[in-house]
Amino acid sequence: MNEEIGRKIKRQGLINGLVLGGILSVTSILYFYFIILIAKSAVSITIGSVLFSYVLPIGISILFCNYLKKRVGGFWNLRQATTGIFIMFFASYLMVYIVKDQLFAKVIEPNMVHKTETAMLNALNKLKESSPQNAKEADLKIAEMRKAFEGERNITIGQQIQTFAVSIIFLFVLSIIFAAFYKNEGQAQSPLVDGPSV
């Protein structure tokens, strides 16, 4: 990989990643407020969860991959695309961790986990009351949710390191998948191609 092109891809990946991380942090914070202030039923929580946890982040990531590809000239091979996209995703992950998980969850909203748990349990209890035939299923979901939130409150440093390592692997695999879609070798005279196309 040409050194100048490599530096440009890394620099643009980092810049895009920081901006993407800022946007995803805001999206995560909006999801929190959606859960505790707006969503009052299990259905609205489920729809909100799919929208804020999957649809919006994936859609925004696709837009940022397109933008990154344009910023580096529109032509890059699989290795270059993987490098740029991984740096972007990793910078974004760190940004979300700092802004949402550290600053927001520990300084601005220190009771974030408890408030989220309360809102979700209230919604499940309403479902249970309105639909007695689903009471058993609701009880199982409530028990699972309580267990998950309890684990989140008592997370150890070892578990945090393990989660971080798994996240890096996941981001790398995701970067390869995105790069496979976004690679564009271009023509030999393209500034992002190291040598003649084969």
Side-chain angles (χ1 to χ4, degrees):
M1 187 189 311
N2 179 294
E3 276 185 39
E4 187 184 332
I5 295 163
R7 279 196 299 271
K8 186 176 183 183
I9 288 171
K10 289 172 186 173
R11 186 173 62 250
Q12 288 301 324
L14 179 62
I15 292 166
N16 275 22
L18 294 175
V19 177
L20 176 61
I23 292 170
L24 293 180
S25 297
V26 170
T27 304
S28 296
I29 292 166
L30 288 175
Y31 174 55
F32 164 70
Y33 285 116
F34 172 81
I35 290 290
I36 65 166
L37 300 175
I38 298 169
K40 300 297 178 194
S41 68
V43 173
S44 62
I45 286 177
T46 303
I47 291 169
S49 178
V50 170
L51 180 67
F52 285 99
S53 301
Y54 301 103
V55 176
L56 284 175
I58 291 170
I60 293 167
S61 296
I62 288 169
L63 291 175
F64 270 78
C65 284
N66 280 326
Y67 181 71
L68 177 62
K69 183 178 176 182
K70 284 178 189 168
R71 291 291 296 165
V72 298
F75 299 99
W76 55 2
N77 59 35
L78 182 64
R79 182 178 172 190
Q80 292 168 329
T82 302
T83 300
I85 292 170
F86 176 72
I87 289 170
M88 183 176 75
F89 284 168
F90 184 69
S92 171
Y93 173 78
L94 287 179
M95 189 75 167
V96 170
Y97 177 76
I98 292 165
V99 173
K100 189 202 105 193
D101 297 338
Q102 299 302 311
L103 180 65
F104 182 76
K106 293 189 177 171
V107 178
I108 298 167
E109 275 288 354
N111 295 321
M112 181 179 168
V113 174
H114 176 70
K115 287 180 179 179
T116 305
E117 179 182 14
T118 302
M120 290 184 157
L121 290 175
N122 287 343
L124 283 172
N125 282 323
K126 280 182 186 171
L127 174 68
K128 189 175 158 183
E129 287 166 14
S130 67
S131 178
Q133 67 271 20
N134 294 328
K136 197 172 182 180
E137 187 182 328
D139 283 336
L140 283 171
K141 285 185 179 177
I142 288 169
E144 285 173 18
M145 194 174 293
R146 283 200 165 120
K147 189 177 177 183
F149 278 107
E150 192 59 38
E152 204 171 314
R153 271 192 291 269
N154 301 320
I155 193 163
T156 65
I157 292 173
Q159 288 171 320
Q160 284 179 329
I161 291 168
Q162 185 180 10
T163 301
F164 187 72
V166 169
S167 296
I168 290 172
I169 293 166
F170 173 75
L171 290 174
F172 184 69
V173 171
L174 193 62
S175 299
I176 293 171
I177 293 167
F178 269 75
F181 286 104
Y182 283 96
K183 74 180 175 83
N184 184 1
E185 302 284 345
Q187 293 135 15
Q189 57 268 42
S190 166
L192 283 184
V193 177
D194 296 332
S197 302
V198 273

PDB file of all heavy atoms in Angstrom, residues 33-46 48 119-120 123 126:
ATOM      1  N   TYR A  33     -33.511   8.059  26.645  1.00  0.00           N
ATOM      2  CA  TYR A  33     -34.633   8.943  26.981  1.00  0.00           C
ATOM      3  C   TYR A  33     -35.942   8.458  26.357  1.00  0.00           C
ATOM      4  O   TYR A  33     -37.016   8.632  26.947  1.00  0.00           O
ATOM      5  CB  TYR A  33     -34.325  10.389  26.590  1.00  0.00           C
ATOM      6  CG  TYR A  33     -33.346  11.029  27.540  1.00  0.00           C
ATOM      7  CD1 TYR A  33     -32.085  11.435  27.117  1.00  0.00           C
ATOM      8  CD2 TYR A  33     -33.662  11.179  28.887  1.00  0.00           C
ATOM      9  CE1 TYR A  33     -31.177  12.000  28.010  1.00  0.00           C
ATOM     10  CE2 TYR A  33     -32.762  11.734  29.789  1.00  0.00           C
ATOM     11  CZ  TYR A  33     -31.518  12.149  29.339  1.00  0.00           C
ATOM     12  OH  TYR A  33     -30.625  12.689  30.232  1.00  0.00           O
ATOM     13  N   PHE A  34     -35.850   7.840  25.194  1.00  0.00           N
ATOM     14  CA  PHE A  34     -37.044   7.238  24.583  1.00  0.00           C
ATOM     15  C   PHE A  34     -37.605   6.159  25.505  1.00  0.00           C
ATOM     16  O   PHE A  34     -38.814   6.096  25.731  1.00  0.00           O
ATOM     17  CB  PHE A  34     -36.679   6.639  23.211  1.00  0.00           C
ATOM     18  CG  PHE A  34     -37.785   5.832  22.589  1.00  0.00           C
ATOM     19  CD1 PHE A  34     -38.826   6.450  21.915  1.00  0.00           C
ATOM     20  CD2 PHE A  34     -37.784   4.435  22.683  1.00  0.00           C
ATOM     21  CE1 PHE A  34     -39.848   5.699  21.348  1.00  0.00           C
ATOM     22  CE2 PHE A  34     -38.793   3.684  22.109  1.00  0.00           C
ATOM     23  CZ  PHE A  34     -39.838   4.311  21.441  1.00  0.00           C
ATOM     24  N   ILE A  35     -36.721   5.311  26.042  1.00  0.00           N
ATOM     25  CA  ILE A  35     -37.154   4.211  26.917  1.00  0.00           C
ATOM     26  C   ILE A  35     -37.796   4.742  28.198  1.00  0.00           C
ATOM     27  O   ILE A  35     -38.850   4.274  28.607  1.00  0.00           O
ATOM     28  CB  ILE A  35     -35.949   3.299  27.282  1.00  0.00           C
ATOM     29  CG1 ILE A  35     -35.473   2.514  26.070  1.00  0.00           C
ATOM     30  CG2 ILE A  35     -36.289   2.337  28.423  1.00  0.00           C
ATOM     31  CD1 ILE A  35     -36.397   1.445  25.577  1.00  0.00           C
ATOM     32  N   ILE A  36     -37.164   5.724  28.836  1.00  0.00           N
ATOM     33  CA  ILE A  36     -37.672   6.143  30.150  1.00  0.00           C
ATOM     34  C   ILE A  36     -38.797   7.184  30.085  1.00  0.00           C
ATOM     35  O   ILE A  36     -39.569   7.305  31.030  1.00  0.00           O
ATOM     36  CB  ILE A  36     -36.545   6.655  31.075  1.00  0.00           C
ATOM     37  CG1 ILE A  36     -35.903   7.932  30.542  1.00  0.00           C
ATOM     38  CG2 ILE A  36     -35.511   5.582  31.315  1.00  0.00           C
ATOM     39  CD1 ILE A  36     -35.039   8.643  31.558  1.00  0.00           C
ATOM     40  N   LEU A  37     -38.915   7.919  28.958  1.00  0.00           N
ATOM     41  CA  LEU A  37     -39.918   8.978  28.899  1.00  0.00           C
ATOM     42  C   LEU A  37     -41.074   8.714  27.934  1.00  0.00           C
ATOM     43  O   LEU A  37     -42.194   9.151  28.183  1.00  0.00           O
ATOM     44  CB  LEU A  37     -39.258  10.317  28.507  1.00  0.00           C
ATOM     45  CG  LEU A  37     -38.174  10.840  29.453  1.00  0.00           C
ATOM     46  CD1 LEU A  37     -37.529  12.083  28.871  1.00  0.00           C
ATOM     47  CD2 LEU A  37     -38.755  11.125  30.834  1.00  0.00           C
ATOM     48  N   ILE A  38     -40.800   8.032  26.835  1.00  0.00           N
ATOM     49  CA  ILE A  38     -41.820   7.891  25.785  1.00  0.00           C
ATOM     50  C   ILE A  38     -42.416   6.489  25.721  1.00  0.00           C
ATOM     51  O   ILE A  38     -43.625   6.327  25.716  1.00  0.00           O
ATOM     52  CB  ILE A  38     -41.236   8.294  24.408  1.00  0.00           C
ATOM     53  CG1 ILE A  38     -40.807   9.758  24.446  1.00  0.00           C
ATOM     54  CG2 ILE A  38     -42.243   8.055  23.289  1.00  0.00           C
ATOM     55  CD1 ILE A  38     -39.983  10.211  23.267  1.00  0.00           C
ATOM     56  N   ALA A  39     -41.560   5.484  25.664  1.00  0.00           N
ATOM     57  CA  ALA A  39     -42.037   4.098  25.496  1.00  0.00           C
ATOM     58  C   ALA A  39     -42.731   3.630  26.768  1.00  0.00           C
ATOM     59  O   ALA A  39     -42.127   3.592  27.827  1.00  0.00           O
ATOM     60  CB  ALA A  39     -40.874   3.185  25.161  1.00  0.00           C
ATOM     61  N   LYS A  40     -43.994   3.298  26.636  1.00  0.00           N
ATOM     62  CA  LYS A  40     -44.760   2.852  27.807  1.00  0.00           C
ATOM     63  C   LYS A  40     -45.263   1.413  27.670  1.00  0.00           C
ATOM     64  O   LYS A  40     -45.885   0.884  28.566  1.00  0.00           O
ATOM     65  CB  LYS A  40     -45.964   3.782  28.046  1.00  0.00           C
ATOM     66  CG  LYS A  40     -45.581   5.222  28.309  1.00  0.00           C
ATOM     67  CD  LYS A  40     -44.767   5.368  29.570  1.00  0.00           C
ATOM     68  CE  LYS A  40     -44.346   6.808  29.795  1.00  0.00           C
ATOM     69  NZ  LYS A  40     -43.316   6.944  30.805  1.00  0.00           N
ATOM     70  N   SER A  41     -44.979   0.802  26.514  1.00  0.00           N
ATOM     71  CA  SER A  41     -45.434  -0.576  26.306  1.00  0.00           C
ATOM     72  C   SER A  41     -44.269  -1.427  25.816  1.00  0.00           C
ATOM     73  O   SER A  41     -43.277  -0.902  25.311  1.00  0.00           O
ATOM     74  CB  SER A  41     -46.568  -0.614  25.276  1.00  0.00           C
ATOM     75  OG  SER A  41     -46.062  -0.274  23.998  1.00  0.00           O
ATOM     76  N   ALA A  42     -44.436  -2.746  25.969  1.00  0.00           N
ATOM     77  CA  ALA A  42     -43.394  -3.675  25.519  1.00  0.00           C
ATOM     78  C   ALA A  42     -43.191  -3.564  24.007  1.00  0.00           C
ATOM     79  O   ALA A  42     -42.070  -3.671  23.511  1.00  0.00           O
ATOM     80  CB  ALA A  42     -43.765  -5.101  25.914  1.00  0.00           C
ATOM     81  N   VAL A  43     -44.283  -3.318  23.269  1.00  0.00           N
ATOM     82  CA  VAL A  43     -44.196  -3.200  21.811  1.00  0.00           C
ATOM     83  C   VAL A  43     -43.367  -1.975  21.424  1.00  0.00           C
ATOM     84  O   VAL A  43     -42.473  -2.055  20.579  1.00  0.00           O
ATOM     85  CB  VAL A  43     -45.606  -3.124  21.169  1.00  0.00           C
ATOM     86  CG1 VAL A  43     -45.518  -2.832  19.682  1.00  0.00           C
ATOM     87  CG2 VAL A  43     -46.372  -4.412  21.408  1.00  0.00           C
ATOM     88  N   SER A  44     -43.649  -0.828  22.062  1.00  0.00           N
ATOM     89  CA  SER A  44     -42.900   0.388  21.723  1.00  0.00           C
ATOM     90  C   SER A  44     -41.429   0.258  22.114  1.00  0.00           C
ATOM     91  O   SER A  44     -40.547   0.747  21.412  1.00  0.00           O
ATOM     92  CB  SER A  44     -43.529   1.623  22.379  1.00  0.00           C
ATOM     93  OG  SER A  44     -43.509   1.515  23.779  1.00  0.00           O
ATOM     94  N   ILE A  45     -41.146  -0.443  23.213  1.00  0.00           N
ATOM     95  CA  ILE A  45     -39.756  -0.668  23.621  1.00  0.00           C
ATOM     96  C   ILE A  45     -39.052  -1.559  22.600  1.00  0.00           C
ATOM     97  O   ILE A  45     -37.911  -1.306  22.218  1.00  0.00           O
ATOM     98  CB  ILE A  45     -39.676  -1.262  25.042  1.00  0.00           C
ATOM     99  CG1 ILE A  45     -39.990  -0.161  26.063  1.00  0.00           C
ATOM    100  CG2 ILE A  45     -38.301  -1.868  25.315  1.00  0.00           C
ATOM    101  CD1 ILE A  45     -40.022  -0.607  27.489  1.00  0.00           C
ATOM    102  N   THR A  46     -39.742  -2.593  22.117  1.00  0.00           N
ATOM    103  CA  THR A  46     -39.162  -3.496  21.120  1.00  0.00           C
ATOM    104  C   THR A  46     -38.881  -2.759  19.817  1.00  0.00           C
ATOM    105  O   THR A  46     -37.795  -2.879  19.246  1.00  0.00           O
ATOM    106  CB  THR A  46     -40.108  -4.698  20.861  1.00  0.00           C
ATOM    107  OG1 THR A  46     -40.344  -5.366  22.093  1.00  0.00           O
ATOM    108  CG2 THR A  46     -39.499  -5.671  19.872  1.00  0.00           C
ATOM    109  N   GLY A  48     -38.511   0.490  19.430  1.00  0.00           N
ATOM    110  CA  GLY A  48     -37.441   1.448  19.713  1.00  0.00           C
ATOM    111  C   GLY A  48     -36.082   0.786  19.769  1.00  0.00           C
ATOM    112  O   GLY A  48     -35.088   1.312  19.262  1.00  0.00           O
ATOM    113  N   ALA A 119     -38.097   1.272  33.671  1.00  0.00           N
ATOM    114  CA  ALA A 119     -38.987   1.536  32.536  1.00  0.00           C
ATOM    115  C   ALA A 119     -39.354   0.248  31.805  1.00  0.00           C
ATOM    116  O   ALA A 119     -40.518   0.029  31.455  1.00  0.00           O
ATOM    117  CB  ALA A 119     -38.334   2.518  31.578  1.00  0.00           C
ATOM    118  N   MET A 120     -38.369  -0.622  31.600  1.00  0.00           N
ATOM    119  CA  MET A 120     -38.636  -1.878  30.883  1.00  0.00           C
ATOM    120  C   MET A 120     -39.506  -2.821  31.713  1.00  0.00           C
ATOM    121  O   MET A 120     -40.407  -3.469  31.183  1.00  0.00           O
ATOM    122  CB  MET A 120     -37.324  -2.549  30.486  1.00  0.00           C
ATOM    123  CG  MET A 120     -36.590  -1.801  29.402  1.00  0.00           C
ATOM    124  SD  MET A 120     -35.108  -2.683  28.884  1.00  0.00           S
ATOM    125  CE  MET A 120     -34.853  -2.017  27.266  1.00  0.00           C
ATOM    126  N   ALA A 123     -43.108  -1.645  31.655  1.00  0.00           N
ATOM    127  CA  ALA A 123     -43.751  -1.993  30.374  1.00  0.00           C
ATOM    128  C   ALA A 123     -44.145  -3.469  30.353  1.00  0.00           C
ATOM    129  O   ALA A 123     -45.243  -3.818  29.911  1.00  0.00           O
ATOM    130  CB  ALA A 123     -42.822  -1.676  29.216  1.00  0.00           C
ATOM    131  N   LYS A 126     -47.134  -4.035  32.608  1.00  0.00           N
ATOM    132  CA  LYS A 126     -48.376  -3.580  31.951  1.00  0.00           C
ATOM    133  C   LYS A 126     -48.857  -4.623  30.943  1.00  0.00           C
ATOM    134  O   LYS A 126     -50.046  -4.893  30.824  1.00  0.00           O
ATOM    135  CB  LYS A 126     -48.142  -2.243  31.250  1.00  0.00           C
ATOM    136  CG  LYS A 126     -48.191  -1.066  32.181  1.00  0.00           C
ATOM    137  CD  LYS A 126     -48.009   0.231  31.415  1.00  0.00           C
ATOM    138  CE  LYS A 126     -47.903   1.389  32.389  1.00  0.00           C
ATOM    139  NZ  LYS A 126     -47.529   2.648  31.746  1.00  0.00           N
TER     140      LYS A 126
END
